[in-house]
Amino acid sequence: MEDDNEVYDDMNLYITPESFIVEPNGTGEVLIIGRHDKVTRVQPTGGQLANLRPTRRICGVLGTIHLLSCDYLLVATHRLFVGVLNGAIVWRLAGYDIIPYIPNAIQRKENETYLQMLRKTLDTKYFYFSYRYDLTHTMQRRRELLGQPQRLGLLQRADPRFVWNGHVLQQFHCDKMEKFQLPLIHGFVSVNQVQINGQTFFWSIVTRRSVQRAGTRLFCRGIDDEGHVANFVETEQIVEFNGQHTSFVQTRGSMPFHWHQLPNLRYKPRPRLIPGKDHLAACATHFRDQVQLYGAQVAVNLVDQKGAEGELEATFQRLVRELANPNVKYEAFDFHHECRKMRWDRLNILIDRLAHDTERFAFYHSFDDGRLVSTQTGVFRTNCIDCLDRTNVVQSMLARRSLTSVLQKLGVLHVGQPVEQASRSFEDLFKGVWADNADLISLQYSGTGALKTDFTRTGKRTKAGALQDGKNSMIRYYLNNFADGQRQDGIDLFLGHYLINDNEGGALPSPLEWRRGWRFFAFPSVLLMAVAMFMITLTYPAEFNTENLLFMLFWGAMVAVSATGILHYGVEFVQWPRLLPPVAFRGA
């Protein structure tokens, strides 16, 4: 447990015509950011604040970003208490401000669009941080990093895969700034005090989304040439009891080869392999990195084994076989086929098949005084097509089995006593937290809460849950086709994947200027007119005759033709990312 915060948590922000001045309360230094020269420096407190009143109090400096008209300072203004993890408070970001360096700069309309993209990303629930605890690392990785120089700050020691404001923080070029840089993770954190068999302990879930190949559901699939997969998420289950700490880590991520599933207005676009790519090399790179980071891998693939998903499953299985890596094991389970007709109890077949690996991998276990009992030697890498709904169900079941072993080892549970039978209140809490985890990760990737969470929350599938899944599926359809383009742009802008050029809209074309083809206007106009005329023809006459029937047939045919045209040219009606449009669409 650390004695002092590694990052300042309570500061006054002064805004003058020449500079931003950040004054941590109770310290002898200030951070000065030049609004014109953009020079950043940390100085001892002197006369900088004479005759100045604070503009506002802030609880964190999040970074700075360059847009069209000028640079902008990002600060955290509000926070919500989440819990205490390993003796340090964990907070959730509840408010922020984006402040222009030059307030009277000429505001171009494109700049407001970029600001909307930034806000959309920062408004996506939820970002978390701690001033003392490195949320980007698992407990096991934190121990392995103990040998690093202590002069490194929280940001410098953090795992860059999970620091979502890493790009905007790195725009500051200044010595001695470590205590002003507040790293954020994106995902889910839940800290809970629990009592079982008269023993009290803390049970926590920390889920971290990777910034590598980050994006939205249909615009970000598969793998890139560096071996980074879409929707890669690390979930750590932590138990703290009587000076002991345990950790069990699982990962999820898109199938590690080159494939896409671009939106085209169809409810479920067909996923396809990307031709001309070296799938085996990318897969090998991915698993090499994963083995180095986590140890042995069990790739649990939950996709359908027939149809379009079946082609992807066969490819994944073939690639793992060709890798011939003794540290990578492939385990396929057709979730929808095995659990058809609400037979969700059949998931235990998979969990039993993985029981040996659960025991083999074990879990991280240490004491406050530094004694190490055991380490986790491998992880389950679970995926379905989205790595959301089916994946979370299986991960929660694997976590429950590991938790039983952990609590028995700690003496909280009796030998042979499963955790689900030890406490009804904790079982309800366990299900609720894992369902909340599913909802947040799904919201961040697909735009809606997860499907199948009724099973996670109650242990069984319900009709009400099926109806809620239908509602979420329809919302996903709308968002993925008509709203996710700008959401993807916001992620690419915030993470620094796209850098704004000041000549955009002048010497260079603006990526925000998107010219639609004639079909985008013609087909919907014809469809609306045809529907209106069909309804008028259907309802207006007092009696039907041959002429009215011909009118109805004509306008009905126009409805069918225009609707068919829209579906045929569906890609032209989708809202595409403008900053980094998918390669497959650039030539469309």
Side-chain angles (χ1 to χ4, degrees):
M1 179 174 172
E2 302 159 45
D3 297 328
D4 300 309
N5 288 343
E6 294 200 42
V7 178
Y8 293 128
D9 65 341
D10 183 19
M11 294 164 280
N12 293 318
L13 174 64
Y14 299 81
I15 302 179
T16 73
E18 296 79 25
S19 59
F20 300 114
I21 304 176
V22 180
E23 177 202 24
N25 287 314
T27 69
E29 62 182 7
V30 294
L31 171 68
I32 302 176
I33 304 169
R35 301 182 70 178
H36 299 284
D37 60 14
K38 303 177 186 177
V39 174
T40 305
R41 54 200 179 276
V42 176
Q43 296 180 346
T45 304
Q48 306 98 330
L49 306 178
N51 302 319
L52 294 180
R53 287 189 175 182
T55 305
R56 68 184 308 165
R57 292 181 73 174
I58 62 174
C59 54
V61 177
L62 302 181
T64 183
I65 190 168
H66 178 72
L67 300 185
L68 271 179
S69 59
C70 67
D71 288 11
Y72 286 78
L73 179 68
L74 282 65
V75 295
T77 59
H78 296 83
R79 63 194 180 191
L80 290 176
F81 176 83
V82 175
V84 177
L85 187 61
N86 198 27
I89 297 176
V90 178
W91 302 91
R92 193 176 83 202
L93 182 67
Y96 62 89
D97 203 357
I98 305 175
I99 309 170
Y101 277 48
I102 307 175
N104 298 321
I106 298 174
Q107 293 295 322
R108 293 160 57 178
K109 62 179 182 179
E110 295 93 342
N111 214 55
E112 186 56 39
T113 303
Y114 283 129
L115 285 170
Q116 289 175 3
M117 292 176 183
L118 270 184
R119 293 188 184 104
K120 187 181 288 288
T121 300
L122 287 168
D123 288 338
T124 303
K125 303 175 182 178
Y126 287 116
F127 289 92
Y128 299 88
F129 60 89
S130 173
Y131 301 105
R132 291 165 55 179
Y133 187 82
D134 185 355
L135 287 171
T136 67
H137 283 295
T138 64
M139 285 194 162
Q140 187 163 319
R141 284 202 303 270
R142 277 168 54 86
R143 181 184 181 87
E144 293 166 355
L145 293 172
L146 287 178
Q148 286 196 358
Q150 287 302 305
R151 66 178 181 274
L152 294 179
L154 201 59
L155 174 66
Q156 289 69 37
R157 296 200 312 271
D159 189 331
R161 294 180 299 156
F162 303 117
V163 182
W164 271 69
N165 60 332
H167 167 70
V168 292
L169 279 176
Q170 288 167 5
Q171 301 311 300
F172 290 120
H173 301 288
C174 175
D175 293 333
K176 302 179 181 179
M177 196 178 167
E178 293 82 4
K179 299 197 76 169
F180 289 94
Q181 297 173 307
L182 181 63
L184 299 176
I185 69 164
H186 198 210
F188 175 75
V189 179
S190 178
V191 181
N192 306 275
Q193 187 174 1
V194 180
Q195 188 174 70
I196 294 179
N197 293 339
Q199 305 274 20
T200 300
F201 61 93
F202 282 91
W203 171 75
S204 306
I205 295 290
V206 179
T207 291
R208 311 166 177 97
R209 292 190 70 212
S210 174
V211 302
Q212 296 168 336
R213 198 162 173 75
T216 60
R217 179 172 172 253
L218 293 185
F219 290 127
C220 196
R221 297 289 213 196
I223 199 170
D224 62 19
D225 292 334
E226 287 73 42
H228 306 140
V229 295
N231 200 26
F232 184 83
V233 179
E234 176 186 271
T235 299
E236 181 181 20
Q237 178 174 260
I238 298 170
V239 174
E240 299 173 82
F241 174 69
N242 281 357
Q244 301 177 70
H245 309 272
T246 72
S247 161
F248 177 70
V249 176
Q250 301 182 70
T251 63
R252 70 177 79 184
S254 193
M255 285 177 278
F257 46 89
H258 296 282
W259 63 281
H260 61 202
Q261 191 181 16
L262 296 174
N264 57 9
L265 295 191
R266 286 174 170 76
Y267 176 71
K268 193 173 182 180
R270 186 179 182 87
R272 301 178 186 278
L273 292 172
I274 300 177
K277 290 286 190 177
D278 191 338
H279 302 289
L280 183 60
C283 186
T285 300
H286 173 72
F287 278 115
R288 181 198 67 206
D289 293 343
Q290 295 302 295
V291 170
Q292 183 177 357
L293 286 165
Y294 300 102
Q297 302 278 307
V298 174
V300 183
N301 192 357
L302 304 175
V303 301
D304 299 344
Q305 295 180 12
K306 293 182 179 179
E309 288 189 17
E311 296 174 14
L312 299 182
E313 190 277 327
T315 300
F316 196 178
Q317 187 177 58
R318 174 179 60 80
L319 290 174
V320 172
R321 185 172 61 250
E322 292 177 3
L323 283 177
N325 187 331
N327 290 313
V328 180
K329 174 184 175 182
Y330 183 79
E331 188 71 53
F333 184 82
D334 190 333
F335 189 108
H336 287 150
H337 176 75
E338 294 290 344
C339 301
R340 64 191 183 280
K341 298 181 181 179
M342 301 287 191
R343 290 294 309 277
W344 289 58
D345 58 292
R346 292 181 60 81
L347 285 170
N348 288 314
I349 296 173
L350 172 63
I351 304 303
D352 289 341
R353 274 164 38 188
L354 300 175
H356 172 71
D357 295 304
T358 306
E359 296 175 2
R360 178 167 64 98
F361 292 161
F363 50 85
Y364 173 79
H365 182 190
S366 68
F367 283 81
D368 276 343
D369 60 12
R371 282 181 293 154
L372 180 64
V373 180
S374 63
T375 59
Q376 185 174 341
T377 60
V379 298
F380 295 102
R381 182 207 184 278
T382 309
N383 74 266
C384 49
I385 197 74
D386 296 323
C387 307
L388 295 175
D389 315 314
R390 290 171 278 184
T391 295
N392 197 79
V393 170
V394 170
Q395 283 197 337
S396 68
M397 297 180 73
L398 290 169
R400 179 187 280 109
R401 177 159 290 194
S402 173
L403 186 59
T404 294
S405 299
V406 166
L407 295 181
Q408 288 180 0
K409 179 74 174 291
L410 296 178
V412 174
L413 292 178
H414 308 310
V415 176
Q417 182 184 28
V419 67
E420 57 267 31
Q421 297 178 11
S423 169
R424 178 59 184 272
S425 62
F426 175 68
E427 179 64 9
D428 293 341
L429 173 68
F430 181 93
K431 292 175 179 177
V433 167
W434 272 96
D436 292 342
N437 179 67
D439 282 337
L440 261 294
I441 299 305
S442 177
L443 182 71
Q444 293 155 10
Y445 186 53
S446 73
T448 74
L451 311 183
K452 304 176 179 68
T453 53
D454 56 325
F455 177 81
T456 310
R457 292 186 190 279
T458 66
K460 59 183 179 181
R461 204 73 167 98
T462 64
K463 292 182 179 179
L467 290 174
Q468 182 63 36
D469 286 356
K471 175 184 174 182
N472 282 342
S473 295
M474 293 307 297
I475 296 173
R476 276 187 189 181
Y477 172 82
Y478 172 80
L479 294 175
N480 296 164
N481 284 280
F482 305 114
D484 275 358
Q486 191 177 62
R487 202 158 67 92
Q488 180 70 53
D489 284 336
I491 294 171
D492 289 332
L493 181 64
F494 184 61
L495 296 181
H497 297 161
Y498 178 82
L499 300 178
I500 293 175
N501 189 311
D502 286 331
N503 293 320
E504 288 179 12
L508 296 175
S510 171
L512 301 181
E513 295 177 2
W514 194 269
R515 291 186 175 87
R516 296 283 189 174
W518 65 269
R519 299 186 189 92
F520 181 79
F521 302 98
F523 279 104
S525 300
V526 172
L527 178 62
L528 288 174
M529 185 174 68
V531 170
M533 294 302 296
F534 181 83
M535 296 305 296
I536 290 172
T537 307
L538 181 66
T539 58
Y540 181 72
E543 59 182 25
F544 287 102
N545 53 37
T546 303
E547 183 180 3
N548 292 332
L549 182 60
L550 289 175
F551 267 113
M552 286 179 58
L553 289 174
F554 173 77
W555 290 114
M558 290 299 293
V559 169
V561 169
S562 55
T564 301
I566 289 174
L567 287 176
H568 181 73
Y569 297 103
V571 294
E572 298 188 29
F573 298 89
V574 169
Q575 185 194 72
W576 291 87
R578 300 181 183 185
L579 304 184
L580 297 172
V583 174
F585 184 68
R586 288 175 184 163

